[in-house]
Amino acid sequence: MDYTTIIGLEVHVQLQTDSKIFCGCSTKFNPDHPNVQTCPVCLGLPGSLPVMNRRAFELSVKTALALNCRIANFTKWDRKQYYYPDLPKGYQISQYDLPFSHDGWLEIVANPETGEKKRVGIIRAHLEEDAGKNTHDETGRGNDSQVDLNRAGTPLLEIVSHPDMRSAQEAKKYLEELKLLLTYLQVSDCNMQEGSLRCDANVNVHIFRDGKKIATPLVEIKNLNSFRNIELAIEFEADRQYKQWQVDGKTIKDVAKETRGYDAVHNLTVRQRGKEDAADYRYFPDPDLVPVTLENSYIEGVRGALIEFPAARRARYISSYQLSQYDASVLVDQGLTYAEYFEAVAAICGDGKQACNWLTQDVQREMNERKLSIEQFPIQPPVLGEILKRVNEKKITIKSGREIFMDLLVSDAPATISVARIDQIIQEKDLSIKSDSGQLEGVIAAVLVKNPKAIADFKAGKQAAVGALIGQVMREVKGADAGTVRELLLKKLAE
Ligand code: ZN
Ligand code: MN
């Protein structure tokens, strides 16, 4: 392959407000009851007047600040004219030449093993309204296209990146990090199935020949609605452009930008139309809405209320819990609740690595098995933390810890799972570590008498022989700590 893929992403994200951006209708996802969340404003009836949703604007400023953008003190609304059945006004209210934010960046971990980072530039983020949704009868029998305007007027934040990504994998990474940031900020649920996060990719390839760079015509792939499709669509499109160039030699200077759609069933992109440019939309300022002016004190107020971002959290986990880059990413990338679960367990048991191992192995396995989210997981941080604390304090073995963990999950109703139950199970099952070394030494002596062959093997240099002896002692003394048994055994054998 002698070309480089150049990718910029435009992401539309639905903001988590209760009501729409210019009216009081609900934004609830409600496809089963079309056109019930509507009013004269979002239906575009004559004489109705929009009023801006303050909360939508605040969430947008919050996101733009988290993306290191500059916030404009003056911003206005523009009408973007086009006709489509799901757009009853005949125009979308958006922001054209004076978006409320511009010139930011998002850092991605380009390589999770090495922790190698890369900054993707953000050109701008602006606020606009969503359109409704057309549904078409896909049986081909026709006559069954319908329009649902429940979604019309839902606040959308459009985030436009620079063409800084160089592979489909990098584009996916950027989108994953953006989604994670948006969910940490709680500005969007980013539910891709429900269309809360939608992505268009601008793609072309640079081919290097005789020391010169040749750029192929630009293509925008519309409405990519899953991470998998984004990767596949970009890979297909880059390859297609390279092959097309080999056939006709046309470059970015010869062909206008075109819009293509991704066909997931056949894994290919299909030409939809030549891309309109701004003039086709006849943008002009919306006379029904006043411009928005922001005081610096407002912007600083929003900035001051920002919580720790995923990237900062990963860095903190590495420095304060001595976790690897990989472990830190696994914990943080699962979302805010997961990360906070980890921190709560680590605080109680006093060992970050141990908390990480249990969360990513034992808890994760049971979550998968039971199809539970971390919010639904019945063993909450205080209980897991106390189990691990008892392991750390050598009150129970790690094996007993696992047994208690599973006992709670299997036999206890979620409401009865408590720290008190841990100690009850320890008592009932007699799991506490016997620190009485007199008893242990007696059992060890008895086991040694019964195993002259293992002793001989060990003295002949077979380290593994100790394992069998430890096993026998542990069977005799329930709840014995393997480490202590091993220590005492080795001492005895050395005599
Ligand atoms: Zn409405
Ligand atoms: Mn848009």
Side-chain angles (χ1 to χ4, degrees), residues 93-368:
I93 304 178
S94 181
Q95 300 196 290
Y96 177 47
D97 54 337
L98 294 174
F100 80 90
S101 78
H102 58 98
D103 291 314
W105 48 265
L106 176 65
E107 192 167 79
I108 60 171
V109 180
N111 182 339
E113 297 294 334
T114 62
E116 183 201 330
K117 297 187 176 75
K118 172 172 184 164
R119 271 186 190 185
V120 176
I122 307 285
I123 298 173
R124 59 187 275 165
H126 70 253
L127 194 51
E128 61 189 27
E129 60 177 341
D130 207 347
K133 203 170 164 52
N134 295 327
T135 53
H136 305 290
D137 176 19
E138 312 234 319
T139 63
R141 285 190 287 271
N143 294 332
D144 200 13
S145 285
Q146 297 180 314
V147 182
D148 176 7
L149 295 174
N150 280 346
R151 199 179 71 181
T154 297
L156 276 188
L157 184 63
E158 179 174 335
I159 301 163
V160 184
S161 87
H162 278 285
D164 285 346
M165 286 151 279
R166 292 292 174 269
S167 69
Q169 292 69 38
E170 234 172 68
K172 182 166 164 253
K173 279 265 153 54
Y174 164 79
L175 202 63
E176 282 172 345
E177 188 68 18
L178 183 60
K179 181 182 168 187
L180 190 67
L181 179 65
L182 293 164
T183 49
Y184 265 77
L185 293 171
Q186 294 174 301
V187 297
S188 174
D189 62 19
C190 293
N191 187 327
M192 291 180 95
Q193 286 81 43
E194 294 181 2
S196 302
L197 182 79
R198 312 196 286 271
C199 180
D200 306 333
N202 287 298
V203 180
N204 75 340
V205 301
H206 288 174
I207 301 154
F208 300 92
R209 281 294 147 87
D210 309 323
K212 270 193 219 142
K213 185 183 83 185
I214 303 155
T216 56
L218 204 58
V219 164
E220 178 170 352
I221 315 171
K222 291 300 257 186
N223 282 326
L224 296 162
N225 56 6
S226 79
F227 288 109
R228 181 97 190 105
N229 285 357
I230 285 154
E231 250 186 313
L232 291 172
I234 292 171
E235 269 165 12
F236 172 86
E237 180 58 24
D239 187 55
R240 188 197 67 79
Q241 289 187 17
Y242 181 62
K243 287 181 178 145
Q244 185 65 37
W245 174 79
Q246 286 176 314
V247 171
D248 64 18
K250 289 198 171 140
T251 74
I252 194 162
K253 290 182 193 122
D254 307 314
V255 185
K257 185 171 167 180
E258 98 177 337
T259 299
R260 298 178 76 90
Y262 178 64
D263 173 350
V265 177
H266 303 99
N267 184 31
L268 44 84
T269 62
V270 186
R271 181 186 156 86
Q272 293 178 329
R273 54 188 150 96
K275 173 80 180 169
E276 301 83 355
D277 62 28
D280 296 322
Y281 289 121
R282 292 145 33 242
Y283 280 102
F284 68 84
D286 192 306
D288 290 342
L289 284 158
V290 287
V292 182
T293 51
L294 296 181
E295 302 287 338
N296 286 335
S297 59
Y298 171 84
I299 299 169
E300 291 318 311
V302 177
R303 195 196 302 278
L306 287 172
I307 61 154
E308 186 180 37
F309 304 148
R313 207 175 262 259
R314 286 188 204 102
R316 179 164 63 80
Y317 285 7
I318 293 168
S319 66
S320 32
Y321 298 107
Q322 284 80 48
L323 295 183
S324 66
Q325 171 74 42
Y326 179 82
D327 281 342
S329 293
V330 168
L331 293 170
V332 171
D333 294 0
Q334 298 281 335
L336 185 57
T337 315
Y338 199 90
E340 302 215 305
Y341 187 110
F342 158 74
E343 286 192 41
V345 172
I348 298 168
C349 78
D351 183 343
K353 180 64 186 160
Q354 185 195 32
C356 172
N357 288 345
W358 275 72
L359 182 50
T360 57
Q361 290 161 26
D362 301 83
V363 174
Q364 189 63 53
R365 180 192 66 236
E366 297 305 318
M367 277 168 60
N368 296 347

Side-chain angles (χ1 to χ4, degrees), residues 20 22-26 37-43 152:
K20 295 184 180 180
F22 298 120
C23 64
C25 294
S26 168
Q37 289 153 210
T38 55
C39 73
V41 173
C42 55
L43 289 174

Side-chain angles (χ1 to χ4, degrees), residues 393-406:
E393 290 173 344
K394 295 203 183 302
K395 289 187 175 148
I396 55 172
T397 64
I398 191 154
K399 190 164 152 278
S400 301
R402 292 222 156 78
E403 193 175 333
I404 297 166
F405 177 79
M406 287 311 295

